[in-house]
């Protein structure tokens, strides 16, 4: 019964703390997972799309210059068209992901710049088709400046996306570490409470019984068996159970004597 009392007391105090720690740990990990999912769906995806748009812009520029150098090269035209399609595909995705986020304002600046760039490309290509002597001049005066403006905005948005992605990764890591730390702290508190409760229950029982509970159990067992002559080191105080048992034992012994 003594051991059961101790276990019950420890469970009563320590178990809620263990449960609280478990709930806190699970909650922290769920929140970290939610943050990580948002990072993958938003910051990381936007960064990838913007980088793809930049790469496709470079491809379009190189393809157009190859066309100027060799108008009969069909591969150059295929690369130009492929770059346009790749840019448009990445832009459509980034617009969808950036909606209602901090990226939306920056992404909305890109269509006008891309339209100017595409218009300059069409003018250069038309001059190539007409074999105009002004082709290189228009390429340098229209297409190149238009690309520089688009490139500058793309790089700006890429930098912003990369910074946001880095911050998101740091937040996920910090929240995960916080959840782990909280679990360790609560587990430590639970262990400490269990130890303190064990010591408290032991001391309380010892004080109430006037001695070691194991000795009290043996003494009561001997009394139950009719042996009233047990000579155990009882406490001198009669306010506890063992002191009272000692007095009772003496009285009973005197009666039989």
């Amino acid at each position: 019964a003594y051991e059961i009392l101790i276990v019950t007391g420890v469970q009563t105090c320590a178990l809620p703390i263990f449960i609280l720690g478990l709930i806190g740990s699970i909650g922290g990990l769920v929140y970290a997972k939610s943050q990580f999912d948002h990072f993958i769906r938003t910051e990381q995806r936007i960064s990838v799309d913007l980088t793809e748009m930049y790469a496709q812009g470079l491809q379009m520029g190189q393809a157009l210059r190859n066309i100027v150098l060799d108008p009969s090269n069909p591969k150059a035209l295929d690369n130009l068209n492929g770059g346009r399609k790749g840019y448009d595909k990445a832009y459509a995705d980034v617009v969808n992901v950036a909606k209602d986020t901090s990226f939306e304002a920056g992404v909305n600046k890109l269509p006008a710049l891309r339209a100017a760039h595409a218009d300059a490309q069409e003018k250069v290509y038309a001059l190539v088709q007409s074999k105009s002597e002004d082709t290189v001049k228009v390429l340098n005066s229209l297409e190149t400046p238009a690309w520089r403006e688009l490139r500058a905005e793309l790089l700006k948005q890429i930098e912003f996306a990369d910074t946001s992605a880095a911050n998101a990764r740091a937040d996920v890591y910090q929240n995960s570490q916080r959840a782990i730390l909280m679990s360790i702290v609560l587990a430590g508190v639970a262990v400490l409470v269990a130890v303190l409760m064990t010591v408290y229950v032991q001391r309380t029982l010892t004080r109430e019984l006037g001695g070691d509970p194991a000795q009290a159990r043996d003494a009561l067992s001997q009394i139950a068996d009719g042996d009233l002559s047990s000579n155990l080191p009882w406490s001198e105080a009669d306010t506890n159970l063992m002191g009272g048992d000692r007095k009772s034992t003496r009285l009973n012994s005197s009666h039989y004597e």
Side-chain angles (χ1 to χ4, degrees):
Y2 168 66
E3 289 81 1
I4 294 176
L5 180 61
I6 292 180
V7 171
T8 302
V10 171
Q11 288 180 341
T12 301
C13 295
L15 185 59
I17 300 178
F18 275 115
I19 294 175
L20 181 62
L22 181 62
I23 293 174
S25 176
I26 293 175
L29 292 176
V30 169
Y31 179 66
K33 178 181 180 299
S34 176
Q35 281 190 308
F36 182 75
D37 290 342
H38 183 272
F39 160 71
I40 294 297
R41 294 193 311 268
T42 307
E43 287 87 356
Q44 183 69 20
R45 188 170 169 182
I46 287 175
S47 178
V48 170
D49 285 338
L50 290 171
T51 302
E52 178 66 15
M53 292 165 64
Y54 178 74
Q56 296 298 338
L58 292 174
Q59 177 175 313
M60 286 187 286
Q62 185 59 52
L64 184 62
R65 282 156 180 77
N66 290 338
I67 291 174
V68 172
L69 293 174
D70 184 6
S72 63
N73 183 1
K75 185 62 177 178
L77 182 59
D78 290 342
N79 289 339
L80 178 61
N81 292 330
R84 289 171 175 173
K85 291 179 181 179
Y87 181 97
D88 292 341
K89 180 180 179 180
Y91 175 74
D93 188 64
V94 81
V95 167
N96 181 56
V97 177
K99 187 177 181 181
D100 298 328
T101 69
S102 58
F103 300 96
E104 186 173 17
V107 170
N108 288 338
K109 297 178 182 179
L110 297 174
L113 297 174
R114 171 57 189 146
H117 182 229
D119 183 65
Q121 287 179 333
E122 289 296 332
K123 290 180 178 178
V124 171
Y125 184 72
L127 291 174
V128 170
Q129 295 298 105
S130 65
K131 300 180 181 179
S132 172
E133 295 180 355
D134 295 330
T135 300
V136 175
K137 180 180 178 180
V138 173
L139 177 68
N140 293 330
S141 63
L142 290 181
E143 195 276 340
T144 299
W147 165 242
R148 285 174 180 170
E149 291 185 14
L150 176 59
R151 180 185 63 183
E153 188 62 34
L154 282 171
L155 292 175
K156 179 180 177 180
Q157 296 304 318
I158 290 173
E159 181 180 4
F160 178 62
D162 288 344
T163 300
S164 299
N167 292 336
R169 284 194 298 269
D171 289 341
V172 171
Y173 176 78
Q174 289 176 358
N175 288 324
S176 299
Q177 292 295 104
R178 190 178 296 113
I180 294 172
L181 178 61
M182 182 176 65
S183 301
I184 294 174
V185 170
L186 289 176
V189 171
V191 171
L192 178 61
V193 170
V195 171
L196 293 177
M197 276 299 302
T198 301
V199 172
Y200 173 76
V201 171
Q202 287 178 332
R203 289 184 176 180
T204 300
L205 289 176
T206 300
R207 183 173 62 251
E208 291 297 322
L209 296 175
D212 188 344
Q215 293 178 339
R217 182 172 59 248
D218 293 340
L220 293 175
S221 177
Q222 292 174 11
I223 293 173
D225 292 339
D227 182 5
L228 305 179
S229 62
S230 60
N231 186 24
L232 297 175
W234 307 120
S235 170
E236 291 302 321
D238 290 337
T239 57
N240 52 59
L241 178 59
M242 291 179 68
D245 283 343
R246 182 185 64 171
K247 180 184 293 185
S248 175
T249 302
R250 288 175 176 173
L251 289 174
N252 288 331
S253 298
S254 299
H255 175 74
Y256 284 106
E257 290 174 355

